[in-house]
Amino acid sequence: MNTKKQIRKIFFIILITAISLVLCICAGSVLLSAREMADILAYKMFGKALPDAVNVSNVSILWEIRMPRVFCAFFAGAALSLSGAVMQAVLQNPLASSYTMGVSAGASLGAAVVIITGAAGSVLGYFLLPAAGFGAGLLTVFLVIAFAARIDRNMHNNTLILFGMVFSLFVNAMLTILSTMSSEHVQRLIMWQMGSFSGKRWVHVAALCICTLIGGFLLIFFHRELDIMTFGEEQAMSIGVDIKRKKTMLLAIASFLTGAAVCFSGIIGFVDLTIPQIVRKIFGAKHSVVLPMSMLLGGVFMALADMVSRTIMAPREIPVGAVTAMIGVPVFVWIYFKGRE
């Protein structure tokens, strides 16, 4: 692809990202102008005097509610999209995602146990719920890898996908049984599984930002291996890539990113499935570009989906997962049939 054309596309995505974030921060039940946003940011960050035209209540709305929520959505979407890009490359399957490897199912089960036992209502539960979702999601992936390695030493992609799907079905069955036994918690479990960024604070933004940047930084070191794996396992092994070791490391990093997003937002689908494919359609298959662009587009997509979820039926909210599915399914179908043509 022409380098100048590629640079123009990257610049355009960065511009779209900036405009979308401003739009998401300003839009809501209380509509803020870009000028008000700039005045409030100058007041909070640089100590400048707040203009008389700015309502004092809008300061807390923007700084304490709107901005943490938007940036949480952005980093969660970025983490999920990065994870999806890696899983699709490693498993050479456009349908590969956190669902395929059982991360989402495992995280749901971990969170469900905390909610049902009542620990989520305690002071410790503030940290326990995300920690349980994160740990259970990672544990599920490591179990999938361990079982696949016992059956197939080279951990071929079909074996990993098969075990991932089997574990997902098993864990979902356990979750269904737990939900049936604890009917009083069913609504909260459903809401958690559909995802929400309501009530997020700057501490959540910091945690998600750190996890996403660490995961993205680590993945950039493997961009050549990801390019090679895209052409097939035999091709990668003939070049000298240690498939089993690299695959385990990459899946672990991808699961870490998914677990970080899931533990703060709940289960949100289709971001990790559709965004990497859209990025590859626009920028090609080189992962040195695919990874950072997936991060930006995934973040923008999630932030816009969250904006729709909190504004379309205001003051009521609809789960973010419902919005991403409503948008993601038609996009995915379009990509699939466009590819067949």
Side-chain angles (χ1 to χ4, degrees):
M1 187 179 289
N2 185 280
T3 305
K4 287 185 178 179
K5 190 177 179 181
Q6 189 89 302
I7 291 170
R8 282 198 298 269
K9 287 182 178 181
I10 291 171
F11 177 77
F12 179 73
I13 294 297
I14 293 171
L15 183 63
I16 289 294
T17 300
I19 293 171
S20 299
L21 288 177
V22 171
L23 175 64
C24 291
I25 292 169
C26 292
S29 55
V30 176
L31 189 63
L32 302 172
S33 67
R35 178 61 185 271
E36 278 183 292
M37 174 185 160
D39 288 335
I40 293 170
L41 289 179
Y43 167 70
K44 295 296 291 187
M45 297 175 70
F46 306 110
K48 290 189 177 181
L50 195 65
D52 295 333
V54 177
N55 192 324
V56 177
S57 63
N58 289 348
V59 176
S60 59
I61 288 172
L62 184 137
W63 186 260
E64 297 175 15
I65 299 173
R66 196 81 56 81
M67 286 186 68
R69 178 168 184 155
V70 169
F71 282 112
C72 256
F74 177 83
F75 286 116
L80 288 172
S81 188
L82 275 172
S83 173
V86 172
M87 287 188 177
Q88 288 168 14
V90 170
L91 301 177
Q92 298 162 45
N93 189 328
L95 297 176
S97 68
S98 56
Y99 288 93
T100 307
M101 293 301 294
V103 184
S104 298
S108 292
L109 183 61
V113 170
V114 174
I115 291 169
I116 289 169
T117 55
S122 65
V123 177
L124 182 63
Y126 183 80
F127 302 100
L128 190 59
L129 182 61
F134 178 75
L138 279 180
L139 178 62
T140 305
V141 169
F142 286 127
L143 285 173
V144 168
I145 292 172
F147 274 89
R150 293 277 293 179
I151 302 298
D152 181 357
R153 285 188 175 184
N154 291 322
M155 289 197 305
H156 287 98
N157 295 333
N158 291 338
T159 308
L160 280 168
I161 292 171
L162 176 62
F163 272 94
M165 294 302 294
V166 168
F167 264 75
S168 291
L169 291 171
F170 178 73
V171 172
N172 281 322
M174 291 176 66
L175 183 59
T176 302
I177 292 170
L178 282 175
S179 300
T180 305
M181 292 171 62
S182 305
S183 56
E184 67 272 20
H185 297 291
V186 168
Q187 188 168 359
R188 187 175 178 187
L189 288 170
I190 290 172
M191 287 300 293
W192 195 87
Q193 289 176 62
M194 291 301 289
S196 174
F197 295 101
S198 179
K200 294 298 178 282
R201 296 291 178 261
W202 284 111
V203 64
H204 303 116
V205 176
L208 265 174
C209 176
I210 290 168
C211 290
T212 304
L213 292 179
I214 289 173
F217 182 74
L218 291 173
L219 288 175
I220 285 295
F221 284 104
F222 294 99
H223 72 89
R224 289 188 181 86
E225 286 83 353
L226 286 167
D227 288 343
I228 295 168
M229 285 182 182
T230 306
F231 293 106
E233 294 181 338
E234 291 78 11
Q235 180 78 7
M237 284 189 286
S238 67
I239 297 173
V241 177
D242 187 344
I243 286 291
K244 183 178 177 180
R245 182 167 169 271
K246 290 289 190 289
K247 193 177 289 185
T248 301
M249 291 173 67
L250 287 166
L251 288 176
I253 297 170
S255 301
F256 165 75
L257 285 165
T258 299
V262 164
C263 74
F264 286 109
S265 63
I267 307 298
I268 302 174
F270 285 99
V271 178
D272 52 353
L273 188 64
T274 56
I275 296 300
Q277 295 190 47
I278 292 172
V279 170
R280 289 188 177 99
K281 289 280 185 184
I282 298 171
F283 293 98
K286 287 188 68 175
H287 284 85
S288 57
V289 178
V290 168
L291 292 174
M293 291 301 102
S294 293
M295 183 175 170
L296 289 178
L297 274 183
V300 166
F301 178 74
M302 187 72 89
L304 290 172
D306 179 60
M307 182 188 72
V308 171
S309 77
R310 59 183 163 82
T311 57
I312 196 169
M313 293 180 66
R316 297 177 62 187
E317 288 189 19
I318 58 176
V320 185
V323 178
T324 58
M326 289 290 289
I327 300 170
V329 170
V331 170
F332 177 76
V333 170
W334 177 78
I335 290 171
Y336 180 78
F337 284 107
K338 194 76 174 174
R340 287 176 67 88
E341 289 174 7

